[in-house]
Amino acid sequence: MPIKVLIADDHELFLESLALLIRDFEGIEVADKARDGQDALRKLMYNEVDVLIADYNMPLMNGIELTKQAKLRYPDLQILMLTMVETTENIKSAIKAGAIGYILKNSKRADFEKSIRNVANGKRFFNETVFRKLISDEIKEHLTEREIEIIKLITNENSSQEIAKILSISLNTVETHRKNIFRKTGVKNSFGLLKYALTNHLIEF
């Protein structure tokens, strides 16, 4: 059986372009299209749909409210949130509302196809940019503001003594922070910390 998709997006050009793209995917059909959240709920009543692709920002009813209402009425429906915004707050709001996938509008063709197939099978999907954003922000939440501040100073080749002077704290306090940072990040030396900080966007070159 083909995967049947309903697309909800208020931008007509993007809506039509995405529908054309999806029609090229083997075993995936566009059941219908909607211009806003209320229109999508109406069309869910008259179409058999496996995956709802919902734009985050729409008039009359946005993607978050649409997701909540759709999951309430159709618990087995899987929802993929579509957006240009990749803030952690928006991603978490979508997940909390009931979406199991979150994809950016500028994603590659392969990501769109994979996201629909994953979500249809009840598997979570976040494209690489979104996934990195989630991991990076979770890491930042895991580390204290002071620890992130010290990481930046360490990766800028400041010694513990220099860090103590810059932050007006004792050398013992700096060493305690260093131990906690190395324990939390799992790195063994300053070079490892530099790679960690770059990978997780704590610093930029």
Side-chain angles (χ1 to χ4, degrees):
M1 295 289 290
I3 298 168
K4 295 183 179 179
V5 175
L6 171 64
I7 312 168
D9 194 296
D10 62 314
H11 294 95
E12 184 176 359
L13 182 60
F14 183 84
L15 180 64
E16 296 299 332
S17 297
L18 183 57
L20 284 172
L21 178 68
I22 290 173
R23 288 189 179 107
D24 281 341
F25 299 155
E26 185 177 351
I28 302 176
E29 295 180 0
V30 177
D32 212 335
K33 297 171 288 184
R35 300 291 175 83
D36 58 66
Q38 290 182 1
D39 189 27
L41 284 178
R42 284 192 296 270
K43 289 180 175 177
L44 282 171
M45 294 172 62
Y46 305 109
N47 290 280
E48 185 179 334
V49 177
D50 301 302
V51 176
L52 168 61
I53 301 177
D55 183 19
Y56 193 98
N57 293 306
M58 291 185 289
L60 303 180
M61 181 184 290
N62 63 31
I64 295 297
E65 188 58 32
L66 170 58
T67 297
K68 291 177 181 176
Q69 292 290 330
K71 289 299 287 184
L72 187 64
R73 301 181 192 189
Y74 311 100
D76 293 333
L77 178 68
Q78 303 296 358
I79 299 173
L80 175 65
M81 192 65 71
L82 178 69
T83 183
M84 288 299 295
V85 182
E86 56 182 85
T87 65
T88 304
E89 182 181 352
N90 285 9
I91 298 167
K92 289 182 176 179
S93 293
I95 295 169
K96 186 177 180 181
I100 64 169
Y102 194 100
I103 188 166
L104 301 179
K105 287 187 175 183
N106 60 0
S107 296
K108 296 177 181 178
R109 171 194 171 99
D111 280 343
F112 275 111
E113 182 173 4
K114 185 178 180 180
S115 68
I116 294 169
R117 295 191 190 281
N118 276 27
V119 169
N121 289 309
K123 298 177 182 178
R124 291 194 179 277
F125 180 88
F126 304 101
N127 60 346
E128 188 177 346
T129 303
V130 172
F131 184 74
R132 283 204 309 264
K133 177 69 175 173
L134 278 174
I135 295 300
S136 177
D137 284 359
E138 283 181 14
I139 286 166
K140 288 177 183 176
E141 288 175 7
H142 184 57
L143 295 163
T144 67
E145 287 185 18
R146 178 64 90 186
E147 286 167 347
I148 292 173
E149 192 174 15
I150 289 174
I151 286 172
K152 291 177 180 178
L153 290 169
I154 292 172
T155 55
N156 203 32
E157 299 186 65
N158 288 287
S159 67
S160 292
Q161 289 85 353
E162 288 169 332
I163 293 170
K165 185 176 181 180
I166 292 167
L167 299 179
S168 299
I169 57 178
S170 71
L171 181 58
N172 282 341
T173 300
V174 174
E175 290 301 330
T176 299
H177 281 307
R178 285 181 70 106
K179 288 177 183 177
N180 289 336
I181 289 166
F182 278 53
R183 175 177 55 81
K184 288 181 179 181
T185 59
V187 302
K188 296 179 180 179
N189 52 45
S190 296
F191 181 68
L193 187 62
L194 174 61
K195 290 197 296 182
Y196 179 93
L198 285 169
T199 301
N200 293 288
H201 308 288
L202 298 178
I203 61 169
E204 294 182 359
F205 276 170

